[in-house]
Amino acid sequence: AQSVTQPDIHITVSEGASLELRCNYSYGATPYLFWYVQSPGQGLQLLLKYFSGDTLVQGIKGFEAEFKRSQSSFNLRKPSVHWSDAAEYFCAVVLTGRNNAGNMLTFGGGTRLMVKP
Amino acid sequence: EAGVAQSPRYKIIEKRQSVAFWCNPISGHATLYWYQQILGQGPKLLIQFQNNGVVDDSQLPKDRFSAERLKGVDSTLKIQPAKLEDSAVYLCASSLDRGQSAFFGQGTRLTVV
C-alpha cells in the first residue's frame, strides 16, 4: 500500500527565514505528487503539483518543491516566510500505473507551521 | 469558476442520531472524493466516485456510513447511527479525472455529543 510520511509534526520559523517541509513516499511506481495548505477552519488549497518533467516545480504564494526519485522525496521550500504562511501543510500522493485504476489521493499526516515575528 | 460546495458547514448531533452531508463538485469534474479529517490528522479517504460509480470505498465503515452520487454530479454522505469517534471534518473534493488535481470544499465540521 502506498504511504506518505511527513516527519515533522510542528515547525517554527522566524518571519523572513527560509523554510523546508519534508515529505517522503514509499512505493516504487511513478507517483503524482501534491502539496496542499490548510488554514484554520478552511478547506485544502492546492499549492503545487508534480506529474512529470522538470523535477523542480513552482507553485503559488512563492512556494516550490523538488522531486527526488532517488530519495523518494518531494520537499516543499520557500526562501522567505511571511506571517500569513502559518498553516498546516499536507503532502499527498497518487499512485499511477495500469494496475492502479483507483488512482487514490493519499495524504500525509501534515506539518503545522508556526511563524515567529 | 465556482468551487466545490458543501453543506452544512457545522453540525452537532447526539450519538446514535443520523446525519447527512451534501456536496456539489466543480462542473464537469468526473471524480468526487469524500475524506474524513480528525483533528490533528491528515485527511483519510472514505470513498471515491468516478461519475456515478464507486471506484474505492475500502476505508468506508459500511455498517454506518453510506454515500451516493446518483446522477454523477451531486453527492451525499450519510452516517447512521453516529458514534462519538465520528466527530471530524468531512471534506468533499473533485477532480477532472482520476489522478488529476483535486479541489476541496470548505468541509462540514461534525460534532457528536
Side-chain angles (χ1 to χ4, degrees), chain A residues 32 34 36 38 41-44 46 49 51 90 94 101-105 107-109, chain B residues 9 35 37 40-43 45 48 55-56 91 98-102 104-106:
Chain A
Y32 291 169
F34 306 83
Y36 285 84
Q38 186 176 39
Q42 300 298 312
L44 291 142
L46 180 66
K49 59 183 184 281
F51 287 172
F90 293 95
V94 170
N103 301 120
M104 291 181 293
L105 181 64
F107 283 84
Chain B
R9 285 294 312 275
Y35 284 86
Q37 186 177 21
Q41 299 181 17
L45 181 67
Q48 178 177 335
V55 173
D56 188 278
L91 295 164
R98 287 177 289 190
Q100 301 301 304
S101 301
F104 284 78
Q106 290 197 299

PDB file of all heavy atoms in Angstrom, chain A residues 32 34 36 38 41-44 46 49 51 90 94 101-105 107-109, chain B residues 9 35 37 40-43 45 48 55-56 91 98-102 104-106:
ATOM      1  N   TYR A  32       2.283  10.688  -8.777  1.00  0.00           N
ATOM      2  CA  TYR A  32       1.926  12.096  -8.914  1.00  0.00           C
ATOM      3  C   TYR A  32       2.016  12.665  -7.493  1.00  0.00           C
ATOM      4  O   TYR A  32       1.591  12.023  -6.529  1.00  0.00           O
ATOM      5  CB  TYR A  32       0.504  12.278  -9.439  1.00  0.00           C
ATOM      6  CG  TYR A  32       0.299  11.864 -10.878  1.00  0.00           C
ATOM      7  CD1 TYR A  32      -0.988  11.764 -11.404  1.00  0.00           C
ATOM      8  CD2 TYR A  32       1.363  11.586 -11.731  1.00  0.00           C
ATOM      9  CE1 TYR A  32      -1.217  11.400 -12.724  1.00  0.00           C
ATOM     10  CE2 TYR A  32       1.150  11.208 -13.053  1.00  0.00           C
ATOM     11  CZ  TYR A  32      -0.126  11.121 -13.542  1.00  0.00           C
ATOM     12  OH  TYR A  32      -0.347  10.746 -14.847  1.00  0.00           O
ATOM     13  N   PHE A  34       1.685  16.098  -4.722  1.00  0.00           N
ATOM     14  CA  PHE A  34       0.979  17.346  -4.484  1.00  0.00           C
ATOM     15  C   PHE A  34       1.359  17.898  -3.109  1.00  0.00           C
ATOM     16  O   PHE A  34       1.674  17.152  -2.183  1.00  0.00           O
ATOM     17  CB  PHE A  34      -0.549  17.123  -4.485  1.00  0.00           C
ATOM     18  CG  PHE A  34      -1.088  16.450  -5.717  1.00  0.00           C
ATOM     19  CD1 PHE A  34      -1.045  15.067  -5.843  1.00  0.00           C
ATOM     20  CD2 PHE A  34      -1.640  17.194  -6.742  1.00  0.00           C
ATOM     21  CE1 PHE A  34      -1.552  14.438  -6.975  1.00  0.00           C
ATOM     22  CE2 PHE A  34      -2.158  16.576  -7.872  1.00  0.00           C
ATOM     23  CZ  PHE A  34      -2.109  15.195  -7.986  1.00  0.00           C
ATOM     24  N   TYR A  36      -0.606  20.601  -0.402  1.00  0.00           N
ATOM     25  CA  TYR A  36      -1.781  21.393  -0.089  1.00  0.00           C
ATOM     26  C   TYR A  36      -1.518  22.178   1.190  1.00  0.00           C
ATOM     27  O   TYR A  36      -0.764  21.741   2.054  1.00  0.00           O
ATOM     28  CB  TYR A  36      -3.000  20.503   0.148  1.00  0.00           C
ATOM     29  CG  TYR A  36      -3.620  19.910  -1.101  1.00  0.00           C
ATOM     30  CD1 TYR A  36      -3.119  18.740  -1.664  1.00  0.00           C
ATOM     31  CD2 TYR A  36      -4.706  20.525  -1.714  1.00  0.00           C
ATOM     32  CE1 TYR A  36      -3.697  18.195  -2.805  1.00  0.00           C
ATOM     33  CE2 TYR A  36      -5.292  19.989  -2.854  1.00  0.00           C
ATOM     34  CZ  TYR A  36      -4.783  18.828  -3.394  1.00  0.00           C
ATOM     35  OH  TYR A  36      -5.364  18.285  -4.518  1.00  0.00           O
ATOM     36  N   GLN A  38      -3.648  24.194   4.443  1.00  0.00           N
ATOM     37  CA  GLN A  38      -4.942  24.323   5.106  1.00  0.00           C
ATOM     38  C   GLN A  38      -4.830  25.350   6.221  1.00  0.00           C
ATOM     39  O   GLN A  38      -4.132  25.126   7.208  1.00  0.00           O
ATOM     40  CB  GLN A  38      -5.395  22.976   5.669  1.00  0.00           C
ATOM     41  CG  GLN A  38      -6.799  22.980   6.245  1.00  0.00           C
ATOM     42  CD  GLN A  38      -7.233  21.596   6.703  1.00  0.00           C
ATOM     43  OE1 GLN A  38      -6.445  20.840   7.257  1.00  0.00           O
ATOM     44  NE2 GLN A  38      -8.487  21.258   6.457  1.00  0.00           N
ATOM     45  N   GLY A  41      -9.904  26.393   9.921  1.00  0.00           N
ATOM     46  CA  GLY A  41     -11.300  26.482   9.531  1.00  0.00           C
ATOM     47  C   GLY A  41     -11.555  26.493   8.036  1.00  0.00           C
ATOM     48  O   GLY A  41     -12.689  26.692   7.601  1.00  0.00           O
ATOM     49  N   GLN A  42     -10.500  26.251   7.269  1.00  0.00           N
ATOM     50  CA  GLN A  42     -10.632  26.295   5.807  1.00  0.00           C
ATOM     51  C   GLN A  42     -10.429  24.917   5.202  1.00  0.00           C
ATOM     52  O   GLN A  42      -9.907  23.998   5.839  1.00  0.00           O
ATOM     53  CB  GLN A  42      -9.609  27.269   5.221  1.00  0.00           C
ATOM     54  CG  GLN A  42      -9.755  28.681   5.715  1.00  0.00           C
ATOM     55  CD  GLN A  42     -11.093  29.292   5.348  1.00  0.00           C
ATOM     56  OE1 GLN A  42     -11.533  29.207   4.200  1.00  0.00           O
ATOM     57  NE2 GLN A  42     -11.763  29.890   6.311  1.00  0.00           N
ATOM     58  N   GLY A  43     -10.834  24.797   3.950  1.00  0.00           N
ATOM     59  CA  GLY A  43     -10.550  23.578   3.211  1.00  0.00           C
ATOM     60  C   GLY A  43      -9.106  23.566   2.745  1.00  0.00           C
ATOM     61  O   GLY A  43      -8.311  24.447   3.083  1.00  0.00           O
ATOM     62  N   LEU A  44      -8.758  22.593   1.962  1.00  0.00           N
ATOM     63  CA  LEU A  44      -7.391  22.430   1.468  1.00  0.00           C
ATOM     64  C   LEU A  44      -7.213  23.163   0.145  1.00  0.00           C
ATOM     65  O   LEU A  44      -8.042  23.041  -0.757  1.00  0.00           O
ATOM     66  CB  LEU A  44      -7.087  20.949   1.269  1.00  0.00           C
ATOM     67  CG  LEU A  44      -6.984  20.173   2.569  1.00  0.00           C
ATOM     68  CD1 LEU A  44      -7.592  18.798   2.441  1.00  0.00           C
ATOM     69  CD2 LEU A  44      -5.530  20.046   2.980  1.00  0.00           C
ATOM     70  N   LEU A  46      -4.640  23.790  -3.107  1.00  0.00           N
ATOM     71  CA  LEU A  46      -3.512  23.212  -3.811  1.00  0.00           C
ATOM     72  C   LEU A  46      -2.417  24.259  -3.990  1.00  0.00           C
ATOM     73  O   LEU A  46      -2.659  25.337  -4.525  1.00  0.00           O
ATOM     74  CB  LEU A  46      -3.963  22.696  -5.182  1.00  0.00           C
ATOM     75  CG  LEU A  46      -2.894  22.062  -6.061  1.00  0.00           C
ATOM     76  CD1 LEU A  46      -2.366  20.770  -5.441  1.00  0.00           C
ATOM     77  CD2 LEU A  46      -3.451  21.774  -7.450  1.00  0.00           C
ATOM     78  N   LYS A  49       1.959  20.924  -7.854  1.00  0.00           N
ATOM     79  CA  LYS A  49       1.858  19.510  -8.182  1.00  0.00           C
ATOM     80  C   LYS A  49       3.012  19.108  -9.098  1.00  0.00           C
ATOM     81  O   LYS A  49       3.575  19.935  -9.814  1.00  0.00           O
ATOM     82  CB  LYS A  49       0.530  19.194  -8.871  1.00  0.00           C
ATOM     83  CG  LYS A  49       0.321  19.970 -10.174  1.00  0.00           C
ATOM     84  CD  LYS A  49      -1.029  19.676 -10.747  1.00  0.00           C
ATOM     85  CE  LYS A  49      -1.238  20.359 -12.090  1.00  0.00           C
ATOM     86  NZ  LYS A  49      -1.563  21.778 -11.937  1.00  0.00           N
ATOM     87  N   PHE A  51       3.728  16.050 -11.973  1.00  0.00           N
ATOM     88  CA  PHE A  51       3.270  14.886 -12.725  1.00  0.00           C
ATOM     89  C   PHE A  51       4.444  14.252 -13.469  1.00  0.00           C
ATOM     90  O   PHE A  51       4.610  13.040 -13.469  1.00  0.00           O
ATOM     91  CB  PHE A  51       2.175  15.275 -13.721  1.00  0.00           C
ATOM     92  CG  PHE A  51       0.835  15.583 -13.082  1.00  0.00           C
ATOM     93  CD1 PHE A  51      -0.208  16.099 -13.829  1.00  0.00           C
ATOM     94  CD2 PHE A  51       0.615  15.358 -11.732  1.00  0.00           C
ATOM     95  CE1 PHE A  51      -1.443  16.378 -13.246  1.00  0.00           C
ATOM     96  CE2 PHE A  51      -0.611  15.631 -11.138  1.00  0.00           C
ATOM     97  CZ  PHE A  51      -1.643  16.147 -11.911  1.00  0.00           C
ATOM     98  N   PHE A  90       0.073  19.793   3.885  1.00  0.00           N
ATOM     99  CA  PHE A  90      -0.091  18.363   3.638  1.00  0.00           C
ATOM    100  C   PHE A  90       0.525  17.982   2.305  1.00  0.00           C
ATOM    101  O   PHE A  90       0.262  18.616   1.275  1.00  0.00           O
ATOM    102  CB  PHE A  90      -1.579  17.979   3.604  1.00  0.00           C
ATOM    103  CG  PHE A  90      -2.269  18.114   4.926  1.00  0.00           C
ATOM    104  CD1 PHE A  90      -2.973  19.261   5.245  1.00  0.00           C
ATOM    105  CD2 PHE A  90      -2.216  17.081   5.863  1.00  0.00           C
ATOM    106  CE1 PHE A  90      -3.611  19.392   6.466  1.00  0.00           C
ATOM    107  CE2 PHE A  90      -2.853  17.197   7.085  1.00  0.00           C
ATOM    108  CZ  PHE A  90      -3.549  18.361   7.380  1.00  0.00           C
ATOM    109  N   VAL A  94      -0.515  10.324  -5.489  1.00  0.00           N
ATOM    110  CA  VAL A  94      -1.380   9.434  -6.256  1.00  0.00           C
ATOM    111  C   VAL A  94      -0.504   8.380  -6.901  1.00  0.00           C
ATOM    112  O   VAL A  94       0.465   8.698  -7.590  1.00  0.00           O
ATOM    113  CB  VAL A  94      -2.163  10.191  -7.341  1.00  0.00           C
ATOM    114  CG1 VAL A  94      -2.859   9.208  -8.279  1.00  0.00           C
ATOM    115  CG2 VAL A  94      -3.183  11.121  -6.708  1.00  0.00           C
ATOM    116  N   ALA A 101      -6.215   1.403 -10.964  1.00  0.00           N
ATOM    117  CA  ALA A 101      -7.322   2.095 -11.603  1.00  0.00           C
ATOM    118  C   ALA A 101      -7.915   3.160 -10.709  1.00  0.00           C
ATOM    119  O   ALA A 101      -8.480   4.122 -11.171  1.00  0.00           O
ATOM    120  CB  ALA A 101      -8.390   1.080 -11.986  1.00  0.00           C
ATOM    121  N   GLY A 102      -7.796   2.977  -9.387  1.00  0.00           N
ATOM    122  CA  GLY A 102      -8.405   3.936  -8.494  1.00  0.00           C
ATOM    123  C   GLY A 102      -7.698   5.265  -8.461  1.00  0.00           C
ATOM    124  O   GLY A 102      -8.325   6.299  -8.299  1.00  0.00           O
ATOM    125  N   ASN A 103      -6.380   5.259  -8.624  1.00  0.00           N
ATOM    126  CA  ASN A 103      -5.594   6.489  -8.540  1.00  0.00           C
ATOM    127  C   ASN A 103      -5.988   7.296  -7.313  1.00  0.00           C
ATOM    128  O   ASN A 103      -6.304   8.477  -7.404  1.00  0.00           O
ATOM    129  CB  ASN A 103      -5.756   7.346  -9.798  1.00  0.00           C
ATOM    130  CG  ASN A 103      -5.327   6.614 -11.042  1.00  0.00           C
ATOM    131  OD1 ASN A 103      -6.113   6.406 -11.966  1.00  0.00           O
ATOM    132  ND2 ASN A 103      -4.088   6.187 -11.070  1.00  0.00           N
ATOM    133  N   MET A 104      -5.964   6.648  -6.155  1.00  0.00           N
ATOM    134  CA  MET A 104      -6.408   7.319  -4.939  1.00  0.00           C
ATOM    135  C   MET A 104      -5.416   8.365  -4.482  1.00  0.00           C
ATOM    136  O   MET A 104      -4.205   8.166  -4.543  1.00  0.00           O
ATOM    137  CB  MET A 104      -6.600   6.296  -3.833  1.00  0.00           C
ATOM    138  CG  MET A 104      -7.768   5.361  -4.064  1.00  0.00           C
ATOM    139  SD  MET A 104      -7.937   4.214  -2.704  1.00  0.00           S
ATOM    140  CE  MET A 104      -6.440   3.258  -2.891  1.00  0.00           C
ATOM    141  N   LEU A 105      -5.923   9.489  -3.998  1.00  0.00           N
ATOM    142  CA  LEU A 105      -5.116  10.588  -3.462  1.00  0.00           C
ATOM    143  C   LEU A 105      -4.939  10.342  -1.968  1.00  0.00           C
ATOM    144  O   LEU A 105      -5.895  10.399  -1.199  1.00  0.00           O
ATOM    145  CB  LEU A 105      -5.839  11.911  -3.723  1.00  0.00           C
ATOM    146  CG  LEU A 105      -5.136  13.184  -3.265  1.00  0.00           C
ATOM    147  CD1 LEU A 105      -3.836  13.397  -4.020  1.00  0.00           C
ATOM    148  CD2 LEU A 105      -6.060  14.378  -3.458  1.00  0.00           C
ATOM    149  N   PHE A 107      -2.980  11.206   1.658  1.00  0.00           N
ATOM    150  CA  PHE A 107      -2.346  12.328   2.341  1.00  0.00           C
ATOM    151  C   PHE A 107      -1.404  11.864   3.448  1.00  0.00           C
ATOM    152  O   PHE A 107      -1.611  10.817   4.082  1.00  0.00           O
ATOM    153  CB  PHE A 107      -3.406  13.227   2.982  1.00  0.00           C
ATOM    154  CG  PHE A 107      -4.110  14.112   2.006  1.00  0.00           C
ATOM    155  CD1 PHE A 107      -5.194  13.643   1.283  1.00  0.00           C
ATOM    156  CD2 PHE A 107      -3.693  15.419   1.798  1.00  0.00           C
ATOM    157  CE1 PHE A 107      -5.850  14.450   0.370  1.00  0.00           C
ATOM    158  CE2 PHE A 107      -4.333  16.239   0.893  1.00  0.00           C
ATOM    159  CZ  PHE A 107      -5.416  15.754   0.178  1.00  0.00           C
ATOM    160  N   GLY A 108      -0.376  12.675   3.679  1.00  0.00           N
ATOM    161  CA  GLY A 108       0.452  12.518   4.859  1.00  0.00           C
ATOM    162  C   GLY A 108      -0.248  13.109   6.068  1.00  0.00           C
ATOM    163  O   GLY A 108      -1.349  13.663   5.960  1.00  0.00           O
ATOM    164  N   GLY A 109       0.406  12.998   7.233  1.00  0.00           N
ATOM    165  CA  GLY A 109      -0.207  13.450   8.470  1.00  0.00           C
ATOM    166  C   GLY A 109      -0.177  14.956   8.684  1.00  0.00           C
ATOM    167  O   GLY A 109      -0.836  15.462   9.589  1.00  0.00           O
TER     168      GLY A 109
ATOM    169  N   ARG B   9     -22.095  23.698   7.015  1.00  0.00           N
ATOM    170  CA  ARG B   9     -20.723  23.955   7.456  1.00  0.00           C
ATOM    171  C   ARG B   9     -20.458  23.335   8.811  1.00  0.00           C
ATOM    172  O   ARG B   9     -19.355  22.881   9.102  1.00  0.00           O
ATOM    173  CB  ARG B   9     -20.460  25.467   7.530  1.00  0.00           C
ATOM    174  CG  ARG B   9     -20.271  26.156   6.203  1.00  0.00           C
ATOM    175  CD  ARG B   9     -19.002  25.704   5.470  1.00  0.00           C
ATOM    176  NE  ARG B   9     -17.794  25.676   6.274  1.00  0.00           N
ATOM    177  CZ  ARG B   9     -17.011  26.715   6.497  1.00  0.00           C
ATOM    178  NH1 ARG B   9     -17.319  27.902   6.007  1.00  0.00           N
ATOM    179  NH2 ARG B   9     -15.911  26.580   7.226  1.00  0.00           N
ATOM    180  N   TYR B  35     -13.559  12.736   2.176  1.00  0.00           N
ATOM    181  CA  TYR B  35     -12.497  12.485   3.135  1.00  0.00           C
ATOM    182  C   TYR B  35     -13.010  12.780   4.548  1.00  0.00           C
ATOM    183  O   TYR B  35     -13.853  13.664   4.749  1.00  0.00           O
ATOM    184  CB  TYR B  35     -11.293  13.402   2.880  1.00  0.00           C
ATOM    185  CG  TYR B  35     -10.431  13.005   1.707  1.00  0.00           C
ATOM    186  CD1 TYR B  35     -10.745  13.424   0.421  1.00  0.00           C
ATOM    187  CD2 TYR B  35      -9.294  12.220   1.879  1.00  0.00           C
ATOM    188  CE1 TYR B  35      -9.953  13.068  -0.661  1.00  0.00           C
ATOM    189  CE2 TYR B  35      -8.495  11.860   0.806  1.00  0.00           C
ATOM    190  CZ  TYR B  35      -8.841  12.295  -0.458  1.00  0.00           C
ATOM    191  OH  TYR B  35      -8.053  11.931  -1.527  1.00  0.00           O
ATOM    192  N   GLN B  37     -11.436  14.040   8.155  1.00  0.00           N
ATOM    193  CA  GLN B  37     -10.228  14.595   8.775  1.00  0.00           C
ATOM    194  C   GLN B  37     -10.480  14.778  10.273  1.00  0.00           C
ATOM    195  O   GLN B  37     -11.190  15.688  10.688  1.00  0.00           O
ATOM    196  CB  GLN B  37      -9.826  15.923   8.139  1.00  0.00           C
ATOM    197  CG  GLN B  37      -8.495  16.448   8.661  1.00  0.00           C
ATOM    198  CD  GLN B  37      -8.056  17.734   7.985  1.00  0.00           C
ATOM    199  OE1 GLN B  37      -8.854  18.474   7.411  1.00  0.00           O
ATOM    200  NE2 GLN B  37      -6.765  18.022   8.047  1.00  0.00           N
ATOM    201  N   GLY B  40      -6.049  17.143  14.059  1.00  0.00           N
ATOM    202  CA  GLY B  40      -4.633  16.840  14.212  1.00  0.00           C
ATOM    203  C   GLY B  40      -4.103  15.777  13.265  1.00  0.00           C
ATOM    204  O   GLY B  40      -2.933  15.406  13.349  1.00  0.00           O
ATOM    205  N   GLN B  41      -4.948  15.299  12.358  1.00  0.00           N
ATOM    206  CA  GLN B  41      -4.525  14.267  11.415  1.00  0.00           C
ATOM    207  C   GLN B  41      -4.715  14.728   9.976  1.00  0.00           C
ATOM    208  O   GLN B  41      -5.400  15.712   9.711  1.00  0.00           O
ATOM    209  CB  GLN B  41      -5.326  12.980  11.646  1.00  0.00           C
ATOM    210  CG  GLN B  41      -5.140  12.387  13.033  1.00  0.00           C
ATOM    211  CD  GLN B  41      -5.928  11.099  13.212  1.00  0.00           C
ATOM    212  OE1 GLN B  41      -6.371  10.471  12.242  1.00  0.00           O
ATOM    213  NE2 GLN B  41      -6.101  10.689  14.461  1.00  0.00           N
ATOM    214  N   GLY B  42      -4.117  13.980   9.063  1.00  0.00           N
ATOM    215  CA  GLY B  42      -4.335  14.247   7.655  1.00  0.00           C
ATOM    216  C   GLY B  42      -5.660  13.672   7.198  1.00  0.00           C
ATOM    217  O   GLY B  42      -6.227  12.795   7.856  1.00  0.00           O
ATOM    218  N   PRO B  43      -6.181  14.152   6.082  1.00  0.00           N
ATOM    219  CA  PRO B  43      -7.452  13.615   5.569  1.00  0.00           C
ATOM    220  C   PRO B  43      -7.326  12.135   5.203  1.00  0.00           C
ATOM    221  O   PRO B  43      -6.316  11.713   4.632  1.00  0.00           O
ATOM    222  CB  PRO B  43      -7.714  14.454   4.328  1.00  0.00           C
ATOM    223  CG  PRO B  43      -6.891  15.696   4.502  1.00  0.00           C
ATOM    224  CD  PRO B  43      -5.680  15.265   5.253  1.00  0.00           C
ATOM    225  N   LEU B  45      -9.205   9.104   3.056  1.00  0.00           N
ATOM    226  CA  LEU B  45     -10.206   8.877   2.014  1.00  0.00           C
ATOM    227  C   LEU B  45     -11.251   7.885   2.491  1.00  0.00           C
ATOM    228  O   LEU B  45     -10.924   6.777   2.935  1.00  0.00           O
ATOM    229  CB  LEU B  45      -9.530   8.354   0.748  1.00  0.00           C
ATOM    230  CG  LEU B  45     -10.454   8.089  -0.433  1.00  0.00           C
ATOM    231  CD1 LEU B  45     -11.042   9.394  -0.973  1.00  0.00           C
ATOM    232  CD2 LEU B  45      -9.714   7.352  -1.542  1.00  0.00           C
ATOM    233  N   GLN B  48     -14.410   7.133  -3.119  1.00  0.00           N
ATOM    234  CA  GLN B  48     -14.093   7.839  -4.351  1.00  0.00           C
ATOM    235  C   GLN B  48     -15.055   7.381  -5.441  1.00  0.00           C
ATOM    236  O   GLN B  48     -15.236   6.179  -5.655  1.00  0.00           O
ATOM    237  CB  GLN B  48     -12.649   7.559  -4.772  1.00  0.00           C
ATOM    238  CG  GLN B  48     -12.230   8.220  -6.070  1.00  0.00           C
ATOM    239  CD  GLN B  48     -10.767   7.971  -6.397  1.00  0.00           C
ATOM    240  OE1 GLN B  48      -9.946   7.723  -5.510  1.00  0.00           O
ATOM    241  NE2 GLN B  48     -10.430   8.041  -7.674  1.00  0.00           N
ATOM    242  N   VAL B  55     -15.344   3.875  -7.132  1.00  0.00           N
ATOM    243  CA  VAL B  55     -14.026   3.373  -7.507  1.00  0.00           C
ATOM    244  C   VAL B  55     -13.362   2.692  -6.314  1.00  0.00           C
ATOM    245  O   VAL B  55     -12.740   1.647  -6.458  1.00  0.00           O
ATOM    246  CB  VAL B  55     -13.137   4.517  -8.025  1.00  0.00           C
ATOM    247  CG1 VAL B  55     -11.708   4.035  -8.247  1.00  0.00           C
ATOM    248  CG2 VAL B  55     -13.716   5.125  -9.285  1.00  0.00           C
ATOM    249  N   ASP B  56     -13.495   3.320  -5.145  1.00  0.00           N
ATOM    250  CA  ASP B  56     -12.886   2.758  -3.940  1.00  0.00           C
ATOM    251  C   ASP B  56     -13.685   3.186  -2.726  1.00  0.00           C
ATOM    252  O   ASP B  56     -13.986   4.361  -2.566  1.00  0.00           O
ATOM    253  CB  ASP B  56     -11.434   3.223  -3.799  1.00  0.00           C
ATOM    254  CG  ASP B  56     -10.718   2.508  -2.660  1.00  0.00           C
ATOM    255  OD1 ASP B  56     -10.884   2.928  -1.496  1.00  0.00           O
ATOM    256  OD2 ASP B  56     -10.011   1.523  -2.927  1.00  0.00           O
ATOM    257  N   LEU B  91     -14.634  16.349   4.356  1.00  0.00           N
ATOM    258  CA  LEU B  91     -14.230  17.138   3.197  1.00  0.00           C
ATOM    259  C   LEU B  91     -14.662  16.452   1.915  1.00  0.00           C
ATOM    260  O   LEU B  91     -14.463  15.250   1.746  1.00  0.00           O
ATOM    261  CB  LEU B  91     -12.706  17.296   3.182  1.00  0.00           C
ATOM    262  CG  LEU B  91     -12.086  18.098   4.325  1.00  0.00           C
ATOM    263  CD1 LEU B  91     -10.588  17.841   4.399  1.00  0.00           C
ATOM    264  CD2 LEU B  91     -12.352  19.586   4.147  1.00  0.00           C
ATOM    265  N   ARG B  98      -9.519  10.860 -12.626  1.00  0.00           N
ATOM    266  CA  ARG B  98      -8.700  10.207 -11.606  1.00  0.00           C
ATOM    267  C   ARG B  98      -7.233  10.610 -11.775  1.00  0.00           C
ATOM    268  O   ARG B  98      -6.719  10.679 -12.886  1.00  0.00           O
ATOM    269  CB  ARG B  98      -8.847   8.697 -11.723  1.00  0.00           C
ATOM    270  CG  ARG B  98     -10.184   8.204 -11.225  1.00  0.00           C
ATOM    271  CD  ARG B  98     -10.328   6.711 -11.432  1.00  0.00           C
ATOM    272  NE  ARG B  98     -10.494   6.368 -12.838  1.00  0.00           N
ATOM    273  CZ  ARG B  98     -10.825   5.166 -13.265  1.00  0.00           C
ATOM    274  NH1 ARG B  98     -11.009   4.190 -12.383  1.00  0.00           N
ATOM    275  NH2 ARG B  98     -10.956   4.911 -14.533  1.00  0.00           N
ATOM    276  N   GLY B  99      -6.581  10.872 -10.651  1.00  0.00           N
ATOM    277  CA  GLY B  99      -5.172  11.210 -10.666  1.00  0.00           C
ATOM    278  C   GLY B  99      -4.876  12.669 -10.953  1.00  0.00           C
ATOM    279  O   GLY B  99      -3.732  13.100 -10.863  1.00  0.00           O
ATOM    280  N   GLN B 100      -5.887  13.434 -11.293  1.00  0.00           N
ATOM    281  CA  GLN B 100      -5.679  14.858 -11.562  1.00  0.00           C
ATOM    282  C   GLN B 100      -5.783  15.671 -10.277  1.00  0.00           C
ATOM    283  O   GLN B 100      -6.164  15.149  -9.234  1.00  0.00           O
ATOM    284  CB  GLN B 100      -6.707  15.353 -12.590  1.00  0.00           C
ATOM    285  CG  GLN B 100      -6.642  14.607 -13.914  1.00  0.00           C
ATOM    286  CD  GLN B 100      -5.281  14.734 -14.549  1.00  0.00           C
ATOM    287  OE1 GLN B 100      -4.788  15.831 -14.792  1.00  0.00           O
ATOM    288  NE2 GLN B 100      -4.643  13.599 -14.810  1.00  0.00           N
ATOM    289  N   SER B 101      -5.463  16.950 -10.359  1.00  0.00           N
ATOM    290  CA  SER B 101      -5.505  17.807  -9.178  1.00  0.00           C
ATOM    291  C   SER B 101      -6.911  17.843  -8.591  1.00  0.00           C
ATOM    292  O   SER B 101      -7.887  18.041  -9.310  1.00  0.00           O
ATOM    293  CB  SER B 101      -5.077  19.226  -9.543  1.00  0.00           C
ATOM    294  OG  SER B 101      -3.769  19.240 -10.071  1.00  0.00           O
ATOM    295  N   ALA B 102      -6.990  17.629  -7.291  1.00  0.00           N
ATOM    296  CA  ALA B 102      -8.274  17.651  -6.602  1.00  0.00           C
ATOM    297  C   ALA B 102      -8.486  19.003  -5.939  1.00  0.00           C
ATOM    298  O   ALA B 102      -7.561  19.583  -5.367  1.00  0.00           O
ATOM    299  CB  ALA B 102      -8.320  16.546  -5.546  1.00  0.00           C
ATOM    300  N   PHE B 104     -10.878  21.125  -3.168  1.00  0.00           N
ATOM    301  CA  PHE B 104     -11.630  20.805  -1.973  1.00  0.00           C
ATOM    302  C   PHE B 104     -12.655  21.870  -1.616  1.00  0.00           C
ATOM    303  O   PHE B 104     -12.436  23.068  -1.838  1.00  0.00           O
ATOM    304  CB  PHE B 104     -10.668  20.643  -0.781  1.00  0.00           C
ATOM    305  CG  PHE B 104      -9.921  19.343  -0.790  1.00  0.00           C
ATOM    306  CD1 PHE B 104      -8.828  19.163  -1.614  1.00  0.00           C
ATOM    307  CD2 PHE B 104     -10.333  18.288   0.014  1.00  0.00           C
ATOM    308  CE1 PHE B 104      -8.144  17.958  -1.651  1.00  0.00           C
ATOM    309  CE2 PHE B 104      -9.653  17.080  -0.010  1.00  0.00           C
ATOM    310  CZ  PHE B 104      -8.567  16.910  -0.839  1.00  0.00           C
ATOM    311  N   GLY B 105     -13.770  21.413  -1.035  1.00  0.00           N
ATOM    312  CA  GLY B 105     -14.711  22.305  -0.403  1.00  0.00           C
ATOM    313  C   GLY B 105     -14.220  22.707   0.979  1.00  0.00           C
ATOM    314  O   GLY B 105     -13.156  22.240   1.429  1.00  0.00           O
ATOM    315  N   GLN B 106     -14.984  23.545   1.654  1.00  0.00           N
ATOM    316  CA  GLN B 106     -14.566  24.035   2.964  1.00  0.00           C
ATOM    317  C   GLN B 106     -14.835  23.037   4.076  1.00  0.00           C
ATOM    318  O   GLN B 106     -14.344  23.212   5.186  1.00  0.00           O
ATOM    319  CB  GLN B 106     -15.254  25.361   3.269  1.00  0.00           C
ATOM    320  CG  GLN B 106     -14.737  26.504   2.406  1.00  0.00           C
ATOM    321  CD  GLN B 106     -15.104  27.847   2.965  1.00  0.00           C
ATOM    322  OE1 GLN B 106     -16.283  28.160   3.093  1.00  0.00           O
ATOM    323  NE2 GLN B 106     -14.119  28.640   3.299  1.00  0.00           N
TER     324      GLN B 106
END
